[in-house]
Amino acid sequence: KTVTQVAESACGTGGVPEKYRGTIRTARTLIKEHGVYRGLFTGTGATIAREVPQCAVYFLTYDTIRRACENWAGPSYETSGIVLAGGTAGVVQWVVTYPLDVVKSKIQAFPPGTYKGMLDCARQSVKQDGPLVFFRGIEMALLRAFPLHASIFLTCETIHQALATLREDGDAEQRWKETGSM
C-alpha cells in the first residue's frame, strides 16, 4: 500500500509505472525485486512498534474520558460522552504516536535495506530534515481524527448495546420456555 501511494504521489495517478498499478502488480514487483520476506514484510516490526503504544493510548484515553463523562454528567449524556471520548482518543493517540508512524511509513516507502531499523531511520531523518520531520503532515491526521474516531466509537457502542439487548431478550425468552416466567 505504501509503495503504491508513494508512486502515485511522486508521479501523479496517470504517471505511475505499470509495475505499481494495483495491489497485485505491486506485490509481484516487490517479490521479484526483493524476495517474499523483504518485499512484502519490510516495516512489519515498525508497524507493530507503532500499533502497540497507539492502541494503549487510544483505548486508555477513550475509557478514561468516557468514565469521567459518565460520572460528571450521568447516563443522560451517554451519546455525548461517547462522541467526546472517541474523538479525543483519536486525536491524543495521533499526537503521541505520530513520530512512530512517520518512521514506519519511511521504512515501508523506501527500498528494503535503506534503513537498518527504526532507530537508524529516525537518525537519518533528523540528520536530513531536522526534528520537525516527525510532525510533517500531522495537521491532516488531526483534522480527520476527531470526527473519524468519534463516529467509530459511537457506531461500536451502539452495535454493542443492540447486541446486548438482543442477548438479554434471548435469555428472557429461554427462561420463559424453561420455567414459564421471565
Side-chain angles (χ1 to χ4, degrees):
K1 174 184 163 197
T2 304
V3 172
T4 304
Q5 288 173 331
V6 169
E8 287 176 359
S9 175
C11 306
T13 307
V16 175
E18 194 65 32
K19 66 183 184 176
Y20 295 126
R21 289 192 185 174
T23 306
I24 302 299
R25 283 188 192 153
T26 301
R28 283 186 191 144
T29 300
L30 292 172
I31 291 169
K32 183 179 175 186
E33 293 179 0
H34 305 288
V36 174
Y37 179 75
R38 291 186 80 184
L40 297 182
F41 297 102
T42 293
T44 301
T47 300
I48 292 167
R50 181 210 55 191
E51 286 296 314
V52 171
Q54 192 172 45
C55 286
V57 168
Y58 188 57
F59 291 110
L60 285 171
T61 302
Y62 174 76
D63 192 54
T64 301
I65 294 173
R66 173 95 192 280
R67 287 176 192 264
C69 288
E70 245 176 58
N71 292 338
W72 180 72
S76 61
Y77 289 98
E78 183 178 16
T79 301
S80 301
I82 292 169
V83 168
L84 179 64
T88 304
V91 170
V92 170
Q93 61 109 15
W94 275 118
V95 168
V96 171
T97 63
Y98 199 78
L100 292 170
D101 188 66
V102 170
V103 169
K104 176 214 58 105
S105 296
K106 288 183 84 140
I107 288 171
Q108 290 175 333
F110 284 86
T114 302
Y115 301 110
K116 295 175 187 145
M118 292 181 68
L119 210 50
D120 181 51
C121 177
R123 283 188 190 125
Q124 286 188 45
S125 298
V126 169
K127 186 176 180 182
Q128 184 176 353
D129 297 318
L132 291 179
V133 68
F134 297 120
F135 296 97
R136 192 174 295 149
I138 195 171
E139 302 88 359
M140 292 310 295
L142 295 179
L143 191 60
R144 72 179 188 146
F146 194 95
L148 172 67
H149 296 282
S151 63
I152 287 170
F153 273 106
L154 184 59
T155 301
C156 287
E157 292 285 3
T158 301
I159 291 170
H160 179 77
Q161 189 174 27
L163 291 174
T165 301
L166 284 174
R167 183 172 151 210
E168 289 170 9
D169 290 348
D171 290 347
E173 185 177 331
Q174 184 64 32
R175 280 193 304 275
W176 184 79
K177 285 179 181 176
E178 293 172 359
T179 65
S181 64
M182 295 285 209

